[in-house]
Amino acid sequence: MYKNNLILQALKGDITSQIPVWLMRQAGRVLPEYRQTRKKAKNFIEFVKTPQLAAEVTLQPVDILNVDAAIIFSDILVVPEAMGLPYSMAEEKGPIFQNFIRSASDIQNLKIAHTDQYSYVIEAIQLTKKHLNNRVPLIGFSGAPWTLFAYMTEGKGSKTFSTAKKWLYSNPSESHQLLQKITLSIINYLKDQIKAGADVIQIFDSWAGVLNKSLYQQFCIPYLKQICNEIKEVPIILFPKDGFFALQDIQQLNYNAVSLDWTIEPEWVIPLLPNKTLQGNADPCLLYANEKTIEQETIKMLNKFSSVPYIANLGHGLYPDIDKEKVRFFIDIIHNFKR
Ligand code: 1CP
């Protein structure tokens, strides 16, 4: 059905002869073309809420970088907003929520997100699918319940998310109520993305790493389980950033693939995650190096993953000041690698 379905083959568990690649934050400031399109909107939120612009920047990395999948340009904070917590995005800084969750009654006031509250994402997916014209699959996404909980209780970004963790330790039953509402919202959101044409789903648990095994078992695994058991239509990838302690529990869940951050050694993780497709995990900062170093390190990574179903990616998103030519170089090495 697709001119290039390498990613779908790898997600089915095939060891593809050519290794597919896409990059987290591929639709972003690394591309001068993105920065041009970005100028057409007043601010980040208006940009995300304009389907024509979102579709335009979603397609750019497919045309310019030759990646094997597109990922819809949006943000994980669409879901908290749809539940009733509007935010603003401070330039260079990150999100700020005007109202965030401070008490149990704030949780009661939240809505379960529904199509009407995020229809602009659904339109952007439909438009992108039309323009992609089956060249490559389209990835839809959501934040994981815990990562969204973290922003919704903290009210902004944080290094420690200690306010969010305070909820888990001091108000576990209210925390579970909030996590359940977020989970139901995520399931609605993902089902609508799939109906609109998303071919793959990725769940970003970007703040897994501030927890530990026990907290992850109590407050993350049950909700991640609900999500993967509800999303049966398309393959689903989980990215538990810095969550090495959670991998044994994740292995028990029905995710087709696990995306790994750059701290994880392939030799260590391969026996832990049998029957899963692995994705990752170059350090994004590798792309600041010279071409010789990028080539050596990338080939080392590809060799280490070459015995398992695998999608090449970074261990986290591209940084805005990485040179676009280095990104192209990285992708070309992967495509030219012979297994
Ligand atoms: O205008 C800009 O360039 C602002 C930077 C930016 C971009 C490009 C933000 C603000 N969001 C996005 C798009 C985005 N966000 C995508 C697009 C698709 C792609 O990957 O190409 C995706 C998948 C996300 C997901 C996202 N948003 C995550 C999960 C992935 C990760 O990076 O860990 C998270 C944590 C966010 C929150 C967010 N949005 C933006 C910022 C600066 C942040 C981080 C805030 C913080 O420091 O906590």
Side-chain angles (χ1 to χ4, degrees):
M1 174 186 172
Y2 292 93
K3 293 192 185 75
N4 171 349
N5 70 351
L6 281 173
I7 282 199
L8 296 177
Q9 286 176 311
L11 286 168
K12 253 196 273 156
D14 292 353
I15 306 217
T16 56
S17 57
Q18 184 178 315
I19 293 174
V21 55
W22 69 278
L23 305 176
M24 291 188 248
R25 289 280 162 103
Q26 63 188 23
R29 282 177 288 174
V30 161
L31 297 179
E33 294 82 355
Y34 169 92
R35 298 197 291 264
Q36 276 309 112
T37 310
R38 173 86 156 77
K39 286 185 194 149
K40 297 184 197 163
K42 218 171 48 236
N43 55 45
F44 179 77
I45 294 181
E46 190 190 282
F47 188 22
V48 167
K49 289 192 170 181
T50 309
Q52 290 74 11
L53 298 182
E56 188 176 315
V57 296
T58 301
L59 296 162
Q60 285 170 352
V62 178
D63 296 324
I64 301 163
L65 300 174
N66 197 26
V67 284
D68 297 297
I71 177 162
I72 190 66
F73 182 78
S74 186
D75 201 88
I76 61 167
L77 302 174
V78 163
V79 168
E81 195 212 41
M83 294 178 73
L85 301 183
Y87 66 101
S88 56
M89 191 64 79
E91 227 37 71
E92 311 285 327
K93 272 209 175 135
I96 297 168
F97 285 91
Q98 292 87 344
N99 300 309
F100 54 96
I101 302 299
R102 295 170 217 252
S103 68
S105 66
D106 291 339
I107 300 173
Q108 305 317 316
N109 291 334
L110 286 174
K111 297 187 279 275
I112 308 284
H114 213 270
T115 321
D116 295 346
Q117 287 114 25
Y118 49 70
S119 55
Y120 55 93
V121 179
I122 302 310
E123 268 178 62
I125 291 177
Q126 290 164 338
L127 208 56
T128 303
K129 285 292 286 186
K130 207 161 79 195
H131 290 301
L132 268 177
N133 196 18
N134 293 335
R135 273 178 291 165
V136 292
L138 177 64
I139 304 171
F141 71 87
S142 168
W146 156 249
T147 288
L148 296 185
F149 176 105
Y151 285 106
M152 291 167 75
T153 51
E154 197 86 32
K156 56 183 174 7
S158 161
K159 283 203 173 76
T160 57
F161 281 98
S162 54
T163 306
K165 288 174 71 180
K166 182 175 173 186
W167 271 86
L168 305 185
Y169 280 110
S170 58
N171 294 83
S173 75
E174 285 84 358
S175 296
H176 279 296
Q177 279 173 20
L178 177 51
L179 286 161
Q180 187 57 64
K181 273 192 145 168
I182 295 170
T183 302
L184 295 173
S185 299
I186 291 171
I187 291 169
N188 284 343
Y189 184 50
L190 296 177
K191 292 235 175 236
D192 283 336
Q193 291 188 44
I194 294 164
K195 271 188 232 148
D199 304 287
V200 174
I201 293 295
Q202 175 151 318
I203 304 294
F204 288 93
D205 213 352
S206 301
W207 295 105
V210 299
L211 302 179
N212 61 23
K213 191 179 181 82
S214 163
L215 290 173
Y216 209 82
Q217 283 174 335
Q218 287 172 258
F219 295 103
C220 302
I221 293 289
Y223 303 100
L224 291 169
K225 186 172 181 175
Q226 288 181 35
I227 293 170
C228 65
N229 288 346
E230 279 290 332
I231 304 301
K232 289 279 161 228
E233 304 86 338
V234 300
I236 179 163
I237 308 168
L238 177 62
F239 174 51
K241 181 164 188 294
D242 297 326
F244 60 91
F245 48 78
L247 293 175
Q248 273 131 335
D249 293 304
I250 288 169
Q251 165 63 19
Q252 306 306 316
L253 304 180
N254 290 321
Y255 286 86
N256 303 79
V258 180
S259 196
L260 306 165
D261 66 78
W262 68 85
T263 66
I264 307 267
E265 275 302 315
E267 301 93 311
W268 179 82
V269 77
I270 288 170
L272 274 186
L273 297 174
N275 309 318
K276 303 262 188 244
T277 297
L278 301 182
Q279 178 175 274
N281 69 343
D283 184 343
C285 293
L286 170 64
L287 303 184
Y288 292 128
N290 60 34
E291 292 197 344
K292 188 159 171 264
T293 307
I294 295 175
E295 182 166 16
Q296 280 171 352
E297 291 300 312
T298 304
I299 289 184
K300 214 189 282 174
M301 170 180 84
L302 300 175
N303 275 320
K304 287 183 177 178
F305 282 110
S306 77
S307 65
V308 297
Y310 175 57
I311 299 167
N313 202 317
L314 300 171
H316 200 197
L318 281 166
Y319 299 120
D321 63 342
I322 289 174
D323 178 358
K324 165 182 147 182
E325 293 310 319
K326 298 274 180 72
V327 181
R328 262 296 318 211
F329 182 73
F330 175 71
I331 289 167
D332 290 344
I333 291 167
I334 295 161
H335 282 153
N336 292 327
F337 181 81
K338 292 274 168 284
R339 254 177 159 152

